[in-house]
């Protein structure tokens, strides 16, 4: 029943003029603000933004959101860039991805035991590819200086964001972005150590705008989410870095941090529905089966 609405949203994004940012689903009509936390320039609402291809969304995506909520976010935005779908990637189309994203959001919104930030979730579309270009249309959607965007990304994405080769002056060029944005970064298997994760960040001069987190396993309710203490911050004796706990191997054979959309697509092709069930939420699996996704 949502497909016609989502198709219209996509048409607006690609129209003339294109709509650079729009939400397709919000937890409340006042999102990202609430009665208890209205729009304020004194204490801007912090939105954790997970920008991904969601092809399909996995439990690893959701655990990233949990990690972001635990470091002080007020609301969550699942963001799909239309250019990610237009690149000829295999898998689901934009409408089907939005359907799955909305299923994840509704599961979280309806879960009374979930973190308040995760219950205050929205799904959105952007036409832009670069983080700096995506940020401003979102900020422009709300009263000035009332929103702070926390972009959730993996180590590989973060190193590209901070790589000096993309800038004339990485510190000066990124300064406008970091006026109303920060980064929440997770480690990923095979992408280096924490020291390597901070290489480009420290060189950029924006290290205080980055928080590193580990993805907790969904079977470990007491799993602690650590953050990397930046030099001079509270929690790091003598300016050192605080180490974080690592996700334990799950009894069912795959760690949450090892899950990916590629793993799910390959599992579906091989008809390994046990692995699919391990990696995605039930509502997402239902949509995969209903729409016949990733079979070929």
């Amino acid at each position: 029943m949502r497909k016609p609405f989502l198709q219209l949203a996509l048409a607006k994004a690609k129209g003339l003029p294109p709509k650079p940012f729009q939400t397709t689903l919000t937890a409340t009509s006042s999102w990202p603000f609430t009665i208890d936390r209205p729009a304020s320039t004194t204490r801007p609402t912090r939105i954790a933004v997970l920008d991904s291809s969601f092809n399909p969304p996995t439990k690893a995506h959701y655990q990233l959101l949990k990690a972001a909520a635990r470091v002080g976010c007020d609301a969550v935005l699942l963001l799909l860039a239309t250019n990610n779908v237009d690149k000829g990637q295999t898998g689901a189309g934009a409408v089907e991805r939005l359907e799955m994203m909305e299923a994840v959001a509704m599961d979280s919104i309806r879960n009374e035991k979930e973190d308040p930030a995760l219950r205050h979730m929205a799904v959105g579309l952007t036409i832009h590819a670069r983080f700096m270009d995506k940020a401003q249309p979102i900020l422009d959607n709300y009263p000035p200086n009332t929103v702070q965007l926390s972009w959730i990304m993996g180590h590989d994405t973060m190193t590209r964001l901070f790589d000096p080769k993309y800038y004339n002056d990485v510190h000066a060029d990124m300064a406008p972005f970091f006026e109303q944005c920060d980064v929440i970064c997770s480690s990923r298997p095979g992408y280096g150590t924490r020291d390597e994760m901070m290489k480009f960040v420290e060189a950029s001069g924006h290290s205080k705008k980055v928080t590193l987190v580990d993805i907790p396993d969904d079977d470990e309710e007491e799993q602690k989410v650590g953050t990397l203490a930046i030099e001079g911050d509270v929690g790091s004796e003598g300016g050192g870095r605080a180490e974080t706990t690592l996700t334990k191997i799950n009894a069912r054979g795959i760690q949450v941090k090892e899950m990916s959309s590629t793993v799910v697509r390959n599992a579906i092709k091989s008809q390994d529905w046990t692995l699919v069930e391990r990696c995605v939420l039930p509502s997402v699996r239902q949509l995969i089966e209903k729409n016949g996704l990733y079979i070929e």
Side-chain angles (χ1 to χ4, degrees):
M1 299 297 290
R2 293 280 295 173
K3 281 190 175 181
F5 173 80
L6 297 176
Q7 289 168 343
L8 179 60
L10 285 164
K12 289 180 179 178
K14 299 178 181 180
L16 294 174
K19 194 169 185 178
F21 169 72
Q22 60 186 306
T23 55
T24 67
L25 175 74
T26 57
T28 64
S29 59
S30 62
W31 190 94
F33 311 112
T34 65
I35 295 175
D36 295 333
R37 190 175 292 285
S40 170
T41 57
T42 303
R43 200 289 199 183
T45 295
R46 188 181 183 192
I47 304 174
V49 185
L50 181 55
D51 173 35
S52 178
S53 61
F54 297 106
N55 189 27
T58 70
K59 290 182 181 178
H61 287 120
Y62 198 75
Q63 293 303 317
L64 267 174
L65 299 178
K66 281 181 174 284
R70 293 178 186 180
V71 296
C73 293
D74 305 303
V76 169
L77 173 64
L78 304 182
L79 187 65
L80 179 69
T82 55
N83 65 296
N84 279 342
V85 188
D86 291 339
K87 290 182 179 179
Q89 294 181 354
T90 59
V95 169
E96 287 75 23
R97 297 188 202 189
L98 286 168
E99 280 189 304
M100 291 186 284
M101 292 162 66
E102 289 191 350
V104 172
M106 288 306 301
D107 284 346
S108 190
I109 291 167
R110 291 168 176 162
N111 187 353
E112 295 181 357
K113 296 181 180 179
E114 193 51 272
D115 186 287
L118 292 178
R119 297 193 67 205
H120 201 45
M121 194 178 293
V123 174
L125 272 172
T126 179
I127 65 171
H128 294 294
R130 298 194 313 164
F131 285 102
M132 289 190 288
D133 296 330
K134 293 172 184 177
Q136 196 57 53
I138 299 175
L139 294 168
D140 290 343
N141 215 45
Y142 308 105
N145 302 313
T146 60
V147 165
Q148 174 87 14
L149 302 180
S150 295
W151 295 87
I152 307 171
M153 60 187 70
H155 172 205
D156 52 333
T157 303
M158 185 186 72
T159 52
R160 290 196 301 273
L161 176 68
F162 285 92
D163 195 329
K165 73 180 181 182
Y166 296 117
Y167 308 93
N168 293 322
D169 181 329
V170 63
H171 184 273
D173 291 350
M174 294 191 72
F177 173 79
F178 282 115
E179 286 180 4
Q180 292 181 286
C181 295
D182 60 85
V183 170
I184 298 173
C185 181
S186 72
S187 56
R188 293 187 63 186
Y191 284 96
T193 65
R194 287 183 171 275
D195 285 342
E196 291 170 335
M197 288 175 72
M198 292 303 293
K199 175 182 177 181
F200 294 121
V201 180
E202 291 171 343
S204 76
H206 295 289
S207 58
K208 291 186 178 181
K209 285 288 188 173
V210 177
T211 301
L212 299 191
V213 298
D214 278 323
I215 303 177
D217 192 273
D218 62 351
D219 288 342
E220 299 174 35
E221 294 182 358
E222 299 303 318
Q223 176 76 33
K224 295 180 179 179
V225 178
T227 59
L228 183 66
I230 305 302
E231 183 176 356
D233 285 356
V234 176
S236 58
E237 184 177 353
R241 294 190 177 92
E243 294 296 326
T244 63
T245 55
L246 298 177
T247 305
K248 298 177 182 178
I249 296 176
N250 186 276
R252 284 172 282 179
I254 184 172
Q255 297 180 20
V256 172
K257 65 169 60 179
E258 294 174 327
M259 295 176 184
S260 69
S261 298
T262 301
V263 168
V264 176
R265 294 195 302 270
N266 290 338
I268 293 171
K269 289 179 182 178
S270 63
Q271 298 294 296
D272 186 351
W273 291 102
T274 299
L275 181 57
V276 174
E277 184 175 356
R278 168 70 182 124
C279 292
V280 303
L281 298 174
S283 59
V284 172
R285 175 178 173 173
Q286 289 174 9
L287 286 169
I288 289 172
E289 293 179 324
K290 176 183 175 182
N291 292 316
L293 301 177
Y294 314 119
I295 300 299
E296 296 181 359

